[in-house]
Amino acid sequence: ANQQFILDMASQGKAMGITIGVYTNNNSWGTIVGSSWNGVSSHPLWWANWNGQANFNNFSPFGGWTKPAMHQYQGDVKGPCSIGNVDMSW
């Protein structure tokens, strides 16, 4: 059911002319749809892994992705002008 829901969302977004991307990590992906499911791997991956490194090192392929398009590498960083905490991506 989760796989079909994600396929339906991607299909609807595409029909509406929206650029689709996927934000996840291997643990969440495996829990939600199964780590080997690659139904939306044609869309770019925004890899969430707070390892403090602004690079793609240590990425292990999952879900059909061989590399991410973006890496969220740190969270809860104090933003400029007292805007609160932000997450850092590369």
Side-chain angles (χ1 to χ4, degrees):
N2 289 345
Q3 293 173 359
Q4 189 60 53
F5 180 73
I6 291 171
L7 287 173
D8 291 345
M9 282 195 306
S11 178
Q12 183 63 40
K14 186 175 179 180
M16 296 171 68
I18 297 170
T19 301
I20 304 299
V22 178
Y23 172 86
T24 192
N25 60 44
N26 57 340
N27 292 327
S28 295
W29 193 252
T31 299
I32 295 167
V33 295
S35 58
S36 64
W37 186 67
N38 64 359
V40 290
S41 62
S42 62
H43 301 292
L45 171 65
W46 183 3
W47 175 46
N49 181 0
W50 290 5
N51 63 7
Q53 300 176 14
N55 56 46
F56 294 151
N57 296 351
N58 302 318
F59 176 78
S60 295
F62 68 94
W65 291 287
T66 57
K67 66 179 182 176
M70 293 175 56
H71 176 199
Q72 186 176 80
Y73 63 90
Q74 188 174 358
D76 300 329
V77 174
K78 181 132 178 82
C81 303
S82 301
I83 62 169
N85 293 339
V86 296
D87 295 338
M88 304 299 292
S89 294
W90 180 79

